Amino acid sequence: MFTTLLTLFLAAITLPPKPDHYVTDHAGVLPADRLESIDAKLKSFADSTSTQVIVYIDHKVPDGTTLEEMGSQAIRDWGVGQKGKDNGAIVFIFTDDHKMRIEVGYGLEGSLTDARSKLITSELMKPRIKQGDYAGAVDAAVSAIMNFTKGEDTRGRSTEVAQANVSGRAPHFAAFLLFPFLMFLAIAGFIIFMVVYRRKQGWANVSSSNDGSSLSSSDSSWSSSSSDSSSASDFSGGGGDGGGGGSSDSW
């Protein structure tokens, strides 16, 4: 009985049509080049990990619902994430309402926790949106979500801010462990250098006649081929059908 009533209640929510791209901007706050760049990045991430992250921006939350209700229904009805895995997430921004939310599928709640979602909205998105930098806010948010969800082996460690790319500093503990090892390598390298140098000193004059030979550093440039840099990053959904975690915020 309760399930039937809940289904009828959710069915009454006016949900926008399913997006056809990974980034949807009905409010027109993202420059075209940034929108396409983020869209292609999320498409590439979905192709390589199967985790689907989409962005939905509009002016107002639909009438007759709340942001939380909309998020819970959207992640299910839009099929964000893979069927049976529910590994999807949606970043919502409503410009006129000054509201935002990260909706998280059940399959990602272990890595993209409510606390981490709150960290992203409050520390990465809010300051940028207040400055009018919606593109920067979205880019920072999706990058953090990608970092968290692809690094599930780091679950439970105190690296949230570093993973979310807030400070960009390496953990002090790791640096402490590396220091003795680096010192050993430096001392060993110096000793080896001195031994080799003294042995070569006797025949240095012989090789000095070849001073016309120069070291040629081949410019080994590599091309970063984007898997899909065009705007054709179509989103069709993967069949995910569960969500409810995440965090709402405002500015």
Side-chain angles (χ1 to χ4, degrees), residues 19-95:
D20 55 7
H21 285 74
Y22 285 84
V23 180
T24 301
D25 178 19
H26 291 312
V29 293
L30 301 182
D33 57 337
R34 296 293 297 278
L35 187 152
E36 290 185 8
S37 173
I38 299 170
D39 194 61
K41 178 164 66 173
L42 292 176
K43 170 67 164 56
S44 177
F45 183 69
D47 289 343
S48 61
T49 66
S50 85
T51 297
Q52 294 182 335
V53 182
I54 68 172
V55 177
Y56 186 86
I57 305 174
D58 209 333
H59 293 284
K60 289 179 172 293
V61 178
D63 294 335
T65 185
T66 66
L67 183 50
E68 291 75 20
E69 291 169 352
M70 178 187 176
S72 180
Q73 182 175 348
I75 202 167
R76 182 182 65 254
D77 289 3
W78 292 348
V80 187
Q82 304 304 317
K83 184 177 179 64
K85 293 184 178 180
D86 298 330
N87 53 342
I90 307 176
V91 178
F92 289 102
I93 299 177
F94 292 95
T95 57

Side-chain angles (χ1 to χ4, degrees), residues 31-243:
D33 57 337
R34 296 293 297 278
L35 187 152
E36 290 185 8
S37 173
I38 299 170
D39 194 61
K41 178 164 66 173
L42 292 176
K43 170 67 164 56
S44 177
F45 183 69
D47 289 343
S48 61
T49 66
S50 85
T51 297
Q52 294 182 335
V53 182
I54 68 172
V55 177
Y56 186 86
I57 305 174
D58 209 333
H59 293 284
K60 289 179 172 293
V61 178
D63 294 335
T65 185
T66 66
L67 183 50
E68 291 75 20
E69 291 169 352
M70 178 187 176
S72 180
Q73 182 175 348
I75 202 167
R76 182 182 65 254
D77 289 3
W78 292 348
V80 187
Q82 304 304 317
K83 184 177 179 64
K85 293 184 178 180
D86 298 330
N87 53 342
I90 307 176
V91 178
F92 289 102
I93 299 177
F94 292 95
T95 57
D96 292 357
D97 291 334
H98 299 275
K99 292 180 179 180
M100 55 184 158
R101 177 171 176 80
I102 297 177
E103 187 71 27
V104 182
Y106 292 136
L108 296 182
E109 287 184 327
S111 55
L112 187 58
T113 62
D114 293 354
R116 287 177 170 179
S117 297
K118 186 67 173 181
L119 172 71
I120 294 171
T121 59
S122 62
E123 298 296 329
L124 297 183
M125 298 181 68
K126 187 183 296 188
R128 290 173 170 84
I129 290 178
K130 283 185 174 180
Q131 296 174 354
D133 184 12
Y134 285 92
V138 171
D139 207 355
V142 300
S143 295
I145 292 173
M146 289 162 60
N147 287 339
F148 282 136
T149 56
K150 72 182 179 183
E152 292 193 9
D153 56 325
T154 62
R155 193 180 309 169
R157 300 178 190 173
S158 57
T159 56
E160 279 81 2
V161 175
Q163 279 183 275
N165 212 11
V166 175
S167 65
R169 293 175 296 182
H172 294 287
F173 183 67
F176 175 77
L177 291 178
L178 284 175
F179 182 75
F181 179 70
L182 293 176
M183 285 296 296
F184 171 79
L185 289 180
I187 294 172
F190 178 77
I191 294 174
I192 294 173
F193 171 79
M194 291 302 298
V195 172
V196 174
Y197 176 78
R198 292 195 177 189
R199 286 185 178 180
K200 287 185 176 181
Q201 197 171 20
W203 40 271
N205 292 332
V206 178
S207 60
S208 63
S209 60
N210 297 326
D211 54 6
S213 61
S214 60
L215 178 63
S216 170
S217 61
S218 61
D219 185 14
S220 58
S221 60
W222 54 276
S223 61
S224 59
S225 60
S226 173
S227 61
D228 188 356
S229 58
S230 69
S231 60
S233 303
D234 295 335
F235 170 76
S236 58
D241 61 1

